[in-house]
Amino acid sequence: MTFVDHARSFAGRPVVDVFRDEPLPTVDTPVSWRFSHWDFDQSAGYTPSEPFRSAFDEFLAQAGPSVESLVIGAWGYAAFNVAPIAQLCAAAPRLPALRALFLGDMTSEECEVSWMRVGDVSPLLTAYPELEVLRVRGGQDLTFSPVRHERLRELAVETGGLSPAFTRAVLDSELPALTDLELWLGTPDYGGDTDVTDLAPLLAGERFPALRRLGLRNAEIADDLAEALSTATVVPRLERLDLSLGTLGERGAAALLAGQPLTHLAELDLHHHYLDVETAAALVAALPGVRVDVSDPREDEEDDGESYRYTAVGE
């Protein structure tokens, strides 16, 4: 599994950490403030840890009205403590300038992705009608409810396994300004049962008329996705297509090579794949005007005579 690192930039801004009991660092340019409070406390049960709640309240008192971009790291030990979504929603009047939010910026040492308790993230969009960028990382209890939001441009969900219910709820949402959608589909071992059928309205071009970048990443079904995208109606209006971090192999590559033209793309990201050298080179050669990323080639692994392929992020 790929080690998931802390974000060093978010929403086009450098990430600057906030430390409790210390003044906010002086900054000369717009930044993304990163707030985190890690503790291994099981006593709180499935609620945000009290140290996080009180420390975040102090941060809001210092900087709330000026915060335009916010990264939330550990909220206690996230396998026991659910994400502070209710607290973030309640804080909306104190964060009037917020336009970008990343919930769950944790490493595997703080909490594995699939263990992180999140909850329903869609209330964040209701609480922040001016939000333009939302990124969420997590696994347990990760849900979504259909919403309408006029301003959201970018939505990304990082997980080791994305449920069909979550996927369908996103696609049932009205997001007229959405230009960038990134879904980490994962594997069935971690709840990632989303398949091509669940994505049908998106692939048919029926959802999100402003969409220009589509990322279907970290997917065990990468070959199925490539086959579907080879004829999908949504592809001609995309500028960037991302199938990275998954298990793309020869079947998927053959579909991309034989399918509809991809020469209009600015970028095709396939890094972390299971292609041989010749096939990877053929994809690059077939798209001379496109930035094609075929870095990080992987090899099948064997266990008791069976061959396995792994997505970049699982547990």
Side-chain angles (χ1 to χ4, degrees):
M1 184 185 76
T2 296
F3 178 76
V4 181
D5 204 353
H6 287 147
R8 296 184 179 180
S9 65
F10 174 62
R13 305 169 180 222
V15 172
V16 175
D17 282 291
V18 176
F19 296 101
R20 191 173 190 182
D21 300 325
E22 295 184 16
L24 290 179
T26 300
V27 295
D28 298 324
T29 59
V31 302
S32 293
W33 295 110
R34 181 180 184 275
F35 187 87
S36 179
H37 196 288
W38 194 92
D39 59 74
F40 196 89
D41 179 13
Q42 301 184 40
S43 63
Y46 297 147
T47 60
S49 78
E50 185 54 38
F52 177 94
R53 294 174 65 88
S54 60
F56 186 66
D57 192 64
E58 293 173 10
F59 166 68
L60 291 177
Q62 292 183 71
S66 65
V67 175
E68 297 178 352
S69 183
L70 178 62
V71 176
I72 299 295
W75 48 77
Y77 184 48
F80 298 130
N81 307 128
V82 73
I85 291 174
Q87 185 180 10
L88 285 166
C89 290
R94 304 173 71 183
L95 290 164
L98 189 67
R99 297 295 181 269
L101 174 63
F102 181 179
L103 178 65
D105 180 36
M106 287 178 242
T107 68
S108 58
E109 292 169 336
E110 292 167 312
C111 189
E112 298 284 3
V113 171
S114 66
W115 300 0
M116 292 164 57
R117 294 187 176 275
V118 181
D120 188 349
V121 299
S122 51
L124 293 167
L125 294 175
T126 303
Y128 293 92
E130 301 300 314
L131 199 68
E132 297 176 0
V133 180
L134 176 62
R135 177 173 288 268
V136 177
R137 180 182 295 161
Q140 289 197 69
D141 307 321
L142 179 64
T143 62
F144 197 86
S145 302
V147 296
R148 180 175 179 87
H149 196 284
E150 301 293 338
R151 300 294 297 276
L152 192 70
R153 294 183 293 102
E154 300 179 19
L155 175 62
V157 183
E158 301 181 15
T159 180
L162 196 64
S163 72
F166 192 108
T167 301
R168 290 194 294 266
V170 169
L171 299 189
D172 285 341
S173 296
E174 298 294 329
L175 305 173
L178 193 73
T179 61
D180 190 321
L181 177 63
E182 180 179 320
L183 302 176
W184 294 30
L185 303 183
T187 76
D189 291 340
Y190 298 101
D193 295 316
T194 293
D195 61 22
V196 171
T197 302
D198 299 306
L199 296 164
L202 175 65
L203 300 179
E206 299 169 2
R207 311 303 300 145
F208 316 134
L211 193 68
R212 295 298 177 265
R213 175 183 178 265
L214 177 59
L216 299 173
R217 310 181 71 195
N218 197 52
E220 191 172 274
I221 60 167
D223 281 342
D224 295 340
L225 294 172
E227 289 182 336
L229 287 163
S230 71
T231 59
T233 306
V234 72
V235 169
R237 61 183 170 93
L238 298 178
E239 297 172 359
R240 293 181 291 161
L241 179 60
D242 189 341
L243 295 175
S244 66
L245 307 181
T247 62
L248 185 74
E250 303 303 315
R251 176 164 62 91
L256 293 176
L257 286 166
Q260 64 184 311
L262 299 176
T263 50
H264 67 287
L265 293 175
E267 181 179 67
L268 176 63
D269 191 345
L270 305 176
H271 83 271
H272 187 284
H273 58 80
Y274 288 81
L275 305 175
D276 61 33
V277 173
E278 292 77 13
T279 302
L283 280 165
V284 174
L287 302 170
V290 181
R291 294 190 302 274
V292 182
D293 188 346
V294 287
S295 62
D296 193 17
R298 319 296 290 185
E299 294 184 357
D300 290 6
E301 298 189 21
E302 300 286 337
D303 186 10
D304 291 332
E306 293 189 33
S307 180
Y308 292 94
R309 292 180 177 179
Y310 295 95
T311 59
V313 175
E315 185 178 18

